[in-house]
């Protein structure tokens, strides 16, 4: 079976390299780093041990890639407009597309681009960063949670596609979990992402600083409760107690910068749409106004205007 | 008649100097700048023409000041806890206290400290900055709007006290207006202050930048509408159309940094309480939740924690 990786950065470069190290047949699509990776391969500096893959299948043009049984999408969602030009060339008929991205709506978009494919969402609990061409630094964590997408929003259950992916990822040394209900899992991840990603950028703060100040901690909690309410309005039964659980978990976490903070520092365009506006619009369509999250989203739009490819 | 100025900075130093230049008998309370001003007097560098007062009545201890007929309070509201130790010594029986400060609740507090005094609020439309000891730079504007405080929140009308103040200020070259309804005027000022002061600090932006981005302009407008609704719930009939009027006025204004932005840049404590939490609590007591303003206030509390005297 052939695997494709669309977006060989902090996420796709890390997981793709782990698969390739495990002798999975992985084909990497690259852009800026193509010539460097073609010549030198990929290097992963990881808390679990460094390794290098001097010889990888690297491509600049998706038309040169072989048809793949599994295509991992790990672009920043701000680049998703490229997918309609890439996926139809790369995904084998009845193949699997595994979307390792943040926020809402990405599976929906991909299922329209490749209607014959099985679309799976992967929620990554990963702290990594691309620090140079073909060079990934893995700082902490690394688990993936797979769930299959259903257009009607109902739980797909534990499907053959997610079980197969879990087997391959697990055997490659990746902590892997499954969810029967991708929609709910996506909203649960937003309960963490929507307060911490935005506020870390707006207030130039780490998670521990945000929780140490009474007012910002109250704000974090208020956003979490609003996201939970948004999920509930959209039919996903996330429990109210999930907010306090997330706050306690975060207090015990290694202090690091959320992905949006890393993007902001690198002057990359921020994922405001998938992480904020799409959930806000989903909730609005279900009759719920996410007032607090809307403030954060407007502020991020303002900060986003000067980033590369910003609004 | 004797005038006292409590807080000889950007506001009190400016207006007090204009009064003193007009031969009003002004007595200035100072702290850090006392020795410098005692030696060298005050200097105002103004767009309307520079002037200096080499010899002013300067005091370090309020107990040394003469009893004053009119006391101008122009401290930052973050220093208002000092007033209970100052005002009873300085305000003459049946004297006037004119509060040239931002936000809500300051008149209320002062009327408790000096129950025998006539309390007047002054809304300043002034762009000035203290740039050195006894040195005020006046950049633009300068009007004051006076209204007398009533504990019951009802309009006081055009009282003898505000008419007298207006006469003295006007004859000193200060553009002066009166309001019959101080409560309403305070809320109207908040319609501008609450969006622009907070967002200029949080997003490190000027008023024109905030209005140029579609999302932040929408946020400015949303906060304005929320403040107007807060005013209405508290019984002050500010019209909905006031928001668009303020936005249009701001577009025509000289670009400058709101006072909170200047405080933040000077690492002074931010006036989050008088400009945000007090209006939020007033509205809440009237049954209205200022959700959007609450987000801004929490963010400002976070940023305030590292300022001098911060929470």
């Amino acid at each position: 079976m052939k695997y494709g990786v669309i977006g060989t950065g902090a996420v796709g470069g890390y997981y793709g390299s782990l698969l390739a190290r495990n002798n999975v047949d992985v084909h990497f699509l690259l852009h800026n780093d193509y010539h460097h990776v073609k010549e030198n391969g990929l290097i992963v500096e990881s808390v679990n041990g460094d390794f290098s893959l001097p010889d990888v299948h690297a491509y600049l043009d998706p038309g040169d890639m072989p048809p793949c049984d599994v295509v991992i999408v790990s672009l920043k969602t701000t680049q998703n407009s490229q997918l309609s030009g890439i996926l139809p060339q790369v995904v084998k008929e009845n193949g699997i597309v595994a979307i390792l991205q943040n926020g809402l709506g990405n599976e929906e978009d991909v299922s329209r681009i490749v209607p014959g494919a099985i679309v799976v969402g992967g929620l990554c609990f990963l702290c990594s960063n691309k620090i140079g061409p073909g060079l990934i630094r893995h700082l902490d964590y690394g688990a993936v949670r797979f769930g299959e997408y259903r257009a009607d929003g109902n739980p797909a259950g534990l499907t053959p596609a997610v079980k197969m992916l879990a087997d391959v990822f697990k055997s490659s040394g990746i902590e892997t979990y499954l969810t029967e209900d991708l929609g709910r899992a996506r909203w649960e991840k937003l309960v963490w992402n929507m307060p911490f990603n935005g506020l870390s950028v707006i207030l130039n703060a780490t998670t521990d600083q945000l929780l140490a100040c009474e007012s910002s901690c109250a704000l974090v909690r208020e956003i979490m409760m609003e996201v939970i309410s948004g999920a509930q309005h959209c039919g996903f039964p996330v429990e109210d107690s999930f907010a306090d659980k997330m706050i306690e978990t975060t207090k015990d976490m290694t202090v690091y910068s959320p992905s949006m903070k890393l993007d902001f520092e690198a002057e990359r365009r921020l994922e405001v749409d998938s992480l904020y506006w799409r959930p806000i619009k989903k909730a609005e369509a279900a009759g719920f106004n996410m007032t607090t999250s809307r403030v954060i989203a407007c502020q991020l739009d303002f900060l986003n205007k000067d980033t590369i490819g910003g609004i």
Side-chain angles (χ1 to χ4, degrees), chain A residues 17 32-33 62 101 109 119 126 128 160 164 170 196 199-200 202 206 219 225 234 236 242-243 255 283 299:
Chain A
S17 295
N32 292 336
D33 294 357
Q101 294 186 313
D109 292 349
V119 178
L126 171 69
S128 67
M164 190 277 290
K170 261 184 199 155
F196 285 113
L199 291 176
S200 71
I202 293 162
T206 53
L219 180 55
M225 293 309 296
C234 291
F236 301 106
F242 195 70
V255 173
Q299 292 177 329

Side-chain angles (χ1 to χ4, degrees), chain A residues 67-177:
Chain A
C68 293
D69 301 278
V70 177
V71 174
I72 293 168
V73 173
S74 44
L75 295 168
K76 284 276 159 194
T77 55
T78 49
Q79 300 179 301
N80 275 4
S81 62
Q82 297 177 21
L83 290 176
S84 57
I86 296 172
L87 292 180
Q89 302 186 68
V90 178
V91 183
K92 203 182 265 184
E93 183 71 24
N94 303 319
I96 297 171
V97 183
I99 300 177
L100 307 195
Q101 294 186 313
N102 269 327
L104 290 193
N106 306 312
E107 289 86 11
E108 200 175 322
D109 292 349
V110 166
S111 72
R112 286 202 196 99
I113 295 169
V114 279
I118 295 166
V119 178
V120 170
L123 298 91
C124 304
F125 302 85
L126 171 69
C127 178
S128 67
N129 208 351
K130 202 191 80 171
I131 57 170
L135 179 58
I136 312 296
R137 179 170 290 161
H138 169 228
L139 296 161
D140 211 348
Y141 307 102
V144 187
R145 195 172 177 201
F146 287 113
E148 193 167 314
Y149 170 71
R150 286 286 178 273
D152 59 14
N154 289 328
L158 303 180
T159 64
V162 296
K163 285 183 183 166
M164 190 277 290
L165 280 171
D167 284 346
V168 175
F169 271 63
K170 261 184 199 155
S171 69
S172 304
I174 302 160
E175 200 181 336
T176 311
Y177 302 93

Side-chain angles (χ1 to χ4, degrees), chain A residues 102-103 188-198 258-259 275-276:
Chain A
N102 269 327
E188 284 181 349
K189 191 133 196 269
L190 288 173
V191 173
W192 195 92
N193 273 332
M194 290 182 74
F196 285 113
N197 274 276
S259 63
L275 276 176
Y276 289 87

Side-chain angles (χ1 to χ4, degrees), chain A residues 16-24 49-51 53 172-173:
Chain A
S17 295
L18 284 169
L19 296 173
R21 184 178 66 164
N22 188 36
N23 298 314
V24 176
D50 303 350
F51 65 94
L53 304 167
S172 304

